[in-house]
Amino acid sequence: MLYGALEAGGTKMICAVGNESGQILDQVIIPTTTPDETMPKVIEYFKSKLDDSLPDDEKIQGLGIACFGPVDVREGSKTYGNILNTPKIAWRNFPMLKTLKDALGDIPMGFDTNVNCSLLGEATWGSAKGLNDAVYITIGIGIGMGAISGGNPIHGMLHPEAGHLMMSRVPGDDYKGHCPSHGACFEGMACGLAIEERWGKPARELGDRPEVWELEAKYIAQAITDILLILSPQKIILGGGVMNHAPLFPLVRKYVLEYVNEYIDTKELRNINSFIAPAALNGYQGVMGAIKLAESAAAE
Amino acid sequence: MLYGALEAGGTKMICAVGNESGQILDQVIIPTTTPDETMPKVIEYFKSKLDDSLPDDEKIQGLGIACFGPVDVREGSKTYGNILNTPKIAWRNFPMLKTLKDALGDIPMGFDTNVNCSLLGEATWGSAKGLNDAVYITIGIGIGMGAISGGNPIHGMLHPEAGHLMMSRVPGDDYKGHCPSHGACFEGMACGLAIEERWGKPARELGDRPEVWELEAKYIAQAITDILLILSPQKIILGGGVMNHAPLFPLVRKYVLEYVNEYIDTKELRNINSFIAPAALNGYQGVMGAIKLAESAAAE
């Protein structure tokens, strides 16, 4: 069976076709500019995968949409499938799901945040395979979190926005923070843009400055400590460009254990190297999660 | 149908019988001292509600156990139903569920944390009725949190322990904190014992000191802000002795809105008085949640 997958990100749209094993068989990348420019190309791609001239087994059976947020993921809501108050003005209140439904007709569609989809991909085929309670944090230009509890993505009134967790300032750190809404929140202190503003160079040019990564690890570990105290996940996966600086992992693990201070005694925390781990799907976790979302929608 | 409910707390055990409407029809309170002293009385109570001489419709059809933590709530685990590394030495590693199963025989039993059960009670009959994503925080001698996501209690590797969230110190506050593990965590800064140690009097004698409640509200609001950014609940219920100081509610709501700073735009946050609300079940939420747990176990 073939499924369509759309990973709608702030800079690019990845349109793909994959199968029930998560294999990606075809993919095109379309820049995210404005809905008027971008969406016709996205629609054209998926229309070509639904064309009547195709044999049935070469047509996609559903579409999964992994969308940048904030988005309305509450099924039954009047604005279900819309992008909400994003700083990307052109996309504010854009009805992503409705636009695709109107254009592609009556095929099953699933819709979630890109970070929930990344976790869905990792929980189906990757680093969190088989787990029911897990967290995915992406630390790149911005910071986002997806989570599953009891096997299902966490939505609630909106969806997790843990990039904006409140932080306790590390003593001696007087950086004002990069977040326009909160200043020194998690994203404000630890995202890629914050690293660049604080140290005057992008993260990739700071590999030889251990103090950069000590400080970065302390903020990431604070956020992880709060997340594990609230969600009690079986695993926390860290992805995104900043985490490509591999020496961060041991530092983050060290500070999480220091902050938890043996208060939580579980086999997961005793195996900290597997509890706090990188993504396993080589950057394809979002697209693969969207494939899984499509498969689930088609099975309903 | 009648169900047994045990709310096992650190100072007392509430043993009760209730029906499927959550009505409590009978109740006794037994002090929590040591397992050897306390458990025979608990067992005697529930045995009397299972006695062969009773007509079938006066016997309990299941037992729900709402237990102080940390506890093992992972069904299938070897230590499922045990109390774990509690500071109450006599109860450490005590097999609560197994002891009751061995004594009471083959009746359906449900087991969860007391805070998850309080939320289950409120989500079934109280302030969170009908909601699938909600949080219950009790702020008393200590601080605990229960949560449901998608209608199910959050367990994961253990269960939420959000009493120990990391806090950003309020400027000017130099209190060292009351938590033996973390010092100035949420519980360390804001539990009833912290209030008493910080101000030299118990909370109930500090009603005329507005600065006490300003500071208390700022720490509670910090924790709520982090919880709502991670869990995205539709409602947050606050209970426990400290929250009986009613003027806390408006202060907490004010600071939560200040900390979120309009970043999250949902109808729930626009209705903050209903989003952050007191428990509705008059202190019976834990026992009533245990009744619901028993009913669910009997229905399986």
Side-chain angles (χ1 to χ4, degrees):
Chain A
M1 288 283 224
L2 299 184
Y3 300 99
L6 169 60
E7 185 177 6
T11 57
K12 64 186 183 207
M13 303 271 174
I14 304 177
C15 303
V17 171
N19 64 20
E20 69 282 353
S21 308
Q23 283 177 301
I24 298 169
L25 306 168
D26 186 63
Q27 176 179 304
V28 304
I29 292 177
I30 295 161
T32 303
T33 58
T34 64
D36 283 353
E37 253 184 19
T38 303
M39 290 309 294
K41 295 174 193 162
V42 170
I43 287 164
E44 186 189 6
Y45 177 82
F46 289 112
K47 267 199 172 154
S48 77
K49 307 303 178 190
L50 287 161
D51 197 90
D52 281 340
S53 68
L54 290 172
D56 272 359
D57 64 354
E58 293 179 22
K59 285 184 193 170
I60 58 173
Q61 305 299 313
L63 175 64
I65 304 158
C67 192
F68 69 89
V71 283
D72 185 346
V73 291
R74 298 166 305 154
E75 283 184 61
S77 151
K78 263 192 282 190
T79 53
Y80 175 55
N82 288 12
I83 296 177
L84 302 173
N85 60 336
T86 166
K88 294 173 211 305
I89 306 291
W91 293 88
R92 196 171 284 180
N93 300 316
F94 179 70
M96 177 63 84
L97 179 62
K98 181 171 184 304
T99 301
L100 290 164
K101 276 195 186 286
D102 288 351
L104 301 177
D106 193 27
I107 63 162
M109 292 192 192
F111 183 83
D112 212 325
T113 64
N114 48 4
V115 265
N116 269 347
C117 283
S118 290
L119 179 55
L120 186 58
E122 290 288 336
T124 309
W125 295 293
S127 182
K129 192 170 168 179
L131 299 183
N132 283 322
D133 297 85
V135 164
Y136 179 91
I137 307 174
T138 175
I139 305 174
I141 293 172
I143 296 183
M145 186 195 92
I148 53 172
S149 172
N152 297 306
I154 292 189
H155 292 153
M157 67 169 168
L158 178 69
H159 47 68
E161 279 286 3
H164 296 268
L165 286 173
M166 298 179 79
M167 288 282 110
S168 175
R169 199 171 271 282
V170 172
D173 178 24
D174 59 2
Y175 173 56
K176 68 184 190 314
H178 190 274
C179 176
S181 298
H182 310 108
C185 65
F186 180 27
E187 182 170 290
M189 294 310 252
C191 73
L193 294 173
I195 294 175
E196 183 164 348
E197 188 177 70
R198 186 203 297 268
W199 301 97
K201 283 185 194 176
R204 64 178 177 281
E205 295 174 23
L206 291 162
D208 59 344
R209 299 274 298 275
E211 68 275 26
V212 173
W213 307 103
E214 275 287 325
L215 191 64
E216 180 71 10
K218 285 178 181 172
Y219 288 114
I220 297 172
Q222 261 195 56
I224 289 179
T225 301
D226 284 349
I227 289 165
L228 81 85
L229 288 165
I230 290 172
L231 272 180
S232 186
Q234 298 160 292
K235 181 161 222 150
I236 294 179
I237 299 168
L238 300 178
V242 170
M243 293 311 301
N244 288 336
H245 188 74
L248 260 182
F249 274 95
L251 287 170
V252 167
R253 293 178 186 126
K254 178 181 93 167
Y255 287 117
V256 167
L257 290 177
E258 185 180 314
Y259 298 160
V260 171
N261 197 20
E262 301 188 337
Y263 184 78
I264 309 252
D265 178 24
T266 59
K267 72 174 185 330
E268 285 82 358
L269 284 185
R270 287 191 292 272
N271 294 298
I272 191 80
N273 290 351
S274 127
F275 181 68
I276 298 175
L281 300 177
N282 301 315
Y284 292 104
Q285 52 270 25
V287 174
M288 290 172 75
I291 294 170
K292 181 65 188 174
L293 208 56
E295 189 196 9
S296 301
E300 260 177 22
Chain B
M1 289 284 225
L2 299 184
Y3 301 99
L6 169 61
E7 185 178 6
T11 58
K12 65 187 182 206
M13 302 271 175
I14 305 178
C15 302
V17 171
N19 64 20
E20 68 283 353
S21 308
Q23 283 178 301
I24 298 169
L25 306 168
D26 186 63
Q27 177 179 303
V28 304
I29 291 177
I30 294 161
T32 304
T33 57
T34 63
D36 283 352
E37 251 183 21
T38 302
M39 291 309 295
K41 294 174 194 163
V42 170
I43 287 164
E44 185 190 6
Y45 176 82
F46 290 112
K47 267 198 173 156
S48 76
K49 307 303 177 189
L50 287 161
D51 197 273
D52 281 340
S53 68
L54 290 172
D56 271 358
D57 64 353
E58 292 179 21
K59 285 184 194 170
I60 58 173
Q61 305 299 314
L63 176 64
I65 304 158
C67 192
F68 69 88
V71 283
D72 186 346
V73 292
R74 297 167 305 155
E75 284 183 61
S77 150
K78 262 193 283 191
T79 52
Y80 176 54
N82 288 13
I83 297 176
L84 302 174
N85 59 337
T86 168
K88 295 173 210 306
I89 305 289
W91 294 88
R92 196 170 285 180
N93 300 317
F94 179 70
M96 177 63 84
L97 179 63
K98 182 173 185 302
T99 301
L100 290 164
K101 276 195 185 285
D102 288 351
L104 301 176
D106 193 26
I107 64 163
M109 292 192 192
F111 183 84
D112 212 326
T113 65
N114 49 4
V115 267
N116 269 348
C117 283
S118 290
L119 179 55
L120 186 59
E122 291 287 336
T124 310
W125 296 292
S127 181
K129 192 171 167 179
L131 300 183
N132 283 323
D133 296 86
V135 164
Y136 180 92
I137 307 172
T138 176
I139 305 174
I141 294 173
I143 295 183
M145 187 195 92
I148 52 173
S149 171
N152 298 307
I154 292 187
H155 291 154
M157 68 168 166
L158 179 69
H159 46 67
E161 279 287 2
H164 297 269
L165 286 173
M166 296 179 80
M167 288 281 110
S168 173
R169 198 171 272 280
V170 172
D173 178 24
D174 59 2
Y175 173 55
K176 67 183 190 315
H178 190 274
C179 175
S181 297
H182 311 107
C185 65
F186 180 27
E187 182 169 289
M189 293 311 252
C191 74
L193 295 173
I195 294 174
E196 184 165 349
E197 187 177 71
R198 186 200 296 269
W199 301 98
K201 283 184 195 176
R204 65 178 177 282
E205 294 173 24
L206 291 162
D208 59 343
R209 299 275 298 277
E211 68 275 26
V212 173
W213 306 104
E214 275 287 326
L215 191 64
E216 179 72 9
K218 286 178 181 173
Y219 287 115
I220 297 173
Q222 261 196 56
I224 289 180
T225 302
D226 283 349
I227 289 165
L228 80 85
L229 288 166
I230 290 172
L231 272 179
S232 186
Q234 298 161 293
K235 181 161 222 150
I236 294 179
I237 299 169
L238 300 179
V242 169
M243 292 311 302
N244 288 336
H245 186 75
L248 259 182
F249 274 95
L251 288 170
V252 167
R253 292 177 186 127
K254 179 182 93 166
Y255 287 117
V256 167
L257 290 178
E258 186 180 314
Y259 298 159
V260 172
N261 198 21
E262 301 188 338
Y263 185 78
I264 310 252
D265 178 25
T266 59
K267 71 173 187 328
E268 285 82 0
L269 284 185
R270 289 191 291 273
N271 295 297
I272 190 81
N273 291 352
S274 127
F275 180 67
I276 297 175
L281 300 177
N282 301 314
Y284 292 103
Q285 51 270 23
V287 174
M288 290 171 75
I291 293 171
K292 181 65 188 173
L293 207 58
E295 189 197 7
S296 301
E300 261 175 23

